[in-house]
Amino acid sequence: MTKFVITIDGPGGCGKSTVARLLADRLGFTYVDTGAMYRAVTLQVMRANISFEDEERIVQIAKRTPITFKKQDNSVRVFIDSEDITEPIRTPELTSNVKHIAKITRVREVLVNKQKDMAQDGGVVMEGRDIGTVVAPNARFKFFLEADFKERVSRRYKELKTDNPSIDIKDVEKELAERDKSDYLRKTGPLKLAEDALKIDTTHMTIEEVVDYIEDYVMEKYSDKKNLWSA
Ligand code: DC
């Protein structure tokens, strides 16, 4: 029986992590957050106080950092060995540093290979920037989520404000603009719409509506849920 792969790509703040996680839950698939893998390598580089220019050592770190995901209640936790790094990889400082790591071609090769391994048995909803184009070009379903820049800033702002009530929306705007720039212009694995991906503008949609839309689209092709795996 073949389990298939669903890819969800898109820029920061378009809601793809939550959508991918909820979709995976509904379908009984595994959710893979590839951004967390770039973040995990960034964390290790920062901890070791290595310069972002020192590609050789960064590639070694990417190779030997064992990143795993574990489902816990309604969330998916990220681990390096037995250490839960779910929170440390979300700090604003780390978030603004990931771009230095994500642009290193050899780091991308290492992480893309790990992601290919994770996707090879199917039954996976994998989310990131280059999943439909590079990691899983043969995926059965590819989605590309978008939202207006202003709406993405507002979503990020609301998300970050919970932990940091004094956060300035102007800083969020600047950070997201910088991330967009590095995501779209990166030489290797830039963010781009795969030819066969379905683009969804989520500006005026709730998370629930996006998940429903994708689930309906997938299920339409597989009208009998019991046969989901054998198609
Ligand atoms: O999805 P996220 O915001 O957690 O991603 C963190 C960073 O990692 C983001 O700046 C882009 C980068 N990234 C990438 O280059 N390729 C991916 N497949 C996923 C994320």
Side-chain angles (χ1 to χ4, degrees):
M1 290 205 290
T2 327
K3 287 190 178 186
F4 55 83
V5 174
I6 299 177
T7 70
I8 303 189
D9 289 301
C14 67
K16 60 187 185 314
S17 303
T18 318
V19 166
R21 186 171 48 76
L22 294 175
L23 181 71
D25 275 354
R26 287 196 195 176
L27 298 175
F29 280 28
T30 303
Y31 161 56
V32 182
D33 169 4
T34 61
M37 299 171 76
Y38 289 91
R39 287 172 182 271
V41 175
T42 308
L43 178 70
Q44 295 301 73
V45 170
M46 287 168 69
R47 281 175 169 174
N49 224 354
I50 293 170
S51 154
F52 294 128
E53 309 296 316
D54 192 344
E55 288 198 14
E56 200 49 54
R57 288 178 73 195
I58 296 174
V59 171
Q60 291 316 314
I61 287 191
K63 280 187 184 163
R64 60 164 197 259
T65 301
I67 306 161
T68 51
F69 297 94
K70 273 190 204 126
K71 201 164 180 285
Q72 259 173 39
D73 305 321
N74 287 330
S75 68
V76 174
R77 313 288 302 176
V78 191
F79 288 81
I80 294 177
D81 287 320
S82 57
E83 184 193 357
D84 186 336
I85 55 155
T86 313
E87 266 91 43
I89 59 170
R90 303 275 157 204
T91 66
E93 190 195 358
L94 189 142
T95 300
S96 69
N97 283 337
V98 196
K99 57 179 177 290
H100 303 297
I101 304 302
K103 73 171 192 207
I104 304 174
T105 300
R106 286 167 64 209
V107 168
R108 297 200 72 85
E109 282 166 6
V110 172
L111 294 187
V112 164
N113 281 333
K114 291 186 187 198
Q115 290 154 11
K116 281 179 187 280
D117 283 349
M118 290 172 171
Q120 76 171 0
D121 294 332
V124 162
V125 179
M126 193 173 272
E127 165 257 304
R129 305 292 191 285
D130 57 346
I131 313 305
T133 50
V134 178
V135 178
N138 299 321
R140 177 68 186 84
F141 291 102
K142 298 183 185 180
F143 298 93
F144 191 95
L145 303 193
E146 278 187 332
D148 287 354
F149 182 69
K150 261 186 133 175
E151 173 62 22
R152 291 193 284 122
V153 170
S154 148
R155 289 178 190 172
R156 279 291 289 161
Y157 177 68
K158 280 186 201 138
E159 196 182 307
L160 295 171
K161 209 172 157 50
T162 323
D163 286 338
N164 179 5
S166 62
I167 193 160
D168 187 339
I169 195 158
K170 288 228 157 53
D171 291 336
V172 177
E173 199 176 309
K174 191 165 159 250
E175 187 256 327
L176 206 58
E178 270 172 21
R179 281 219 284 157
D180 274 5
K181 199 170 140 205
S182 66
D183 278 343
Y184 281 108
L185 300 181
R186 192 167 45 232
K187 276 198 211 115
T188 322
L191 174 60
K192 92 174 176 220
L193 178 72
E195 271 175 21
D196 49 353
L198 180 71
K199 190 157 77 172
I200 305 171
D201 182 351
T202 70
T203 308
H204 304 291
M205 293 171 85
T206 64
I207 292 282
E208 266 324 278
E209 283 169 346
V210 181
V211 181
D212 285 348
Y213 182 87
I214 296 181
E215 189 187 17
D216 286 351
Y217 182 91
V218 170
M219 296 315 291
E220 211 176 281
K221 308 273 187 276
Y222 299 94
S223 51
D224 180 357
K225 209 167 184 170
K226 279 179 255 138
N227 290 330
L228 194 61
W229 313 123
S230 54

